[in-house]
């Protein structure tokens, strides 16, 4: 992973760190580390709306 980080510029690195700066996104990542998970299941676990989960997943994806 360190080698991959060396290949990105500082603007990309800042973007990555900003995407990890929200507790909701960290929670989503923790759920996803257990394997593939449906948005509907993330909604059930977190109690957040589907649109809010989708918004945060889009930020992580971009």
């Amino acid at each position: 992973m360190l080698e991959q980080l060396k290949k990105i510029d500082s603007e990309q690195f800042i973007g990555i760190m900003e995407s990890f700066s929200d507790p909701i996104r960290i929670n989503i990542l923790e759920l996803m580390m257990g394997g593939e998970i449906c948005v509907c299941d993330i909604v059930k676990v977190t109690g957040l709306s589907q649109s809010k989960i989708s918004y945060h997943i889009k930020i992580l994806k971009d």
Side-chain angles (χ1 to χ4, degrees), residues 9-27:
D9 63 33
S10 59
E11 290 298 317
Q12 290 172 314
F13 183 75
I14 290 168
I16 292 168
M17 293 298 106
E18 285 176 346
S19 69
F20 293 150
S21 68
D22 188 282
I24 293 172
R25 291 192 284 272
I26 297 299
N27 192 11

Side-chain angles (χ1 to χ4, degrees), residues 33-51:
M33 287 184 351
E36 218 173 279
I37 186 168
C38 176
V39 171
C40 63
D41 292 332
I42 297 173
V43 167
K44 289 176 190 172
V45 171
T46 62
L48 300 171
S49 69
Q50 185 271 330
S51 61

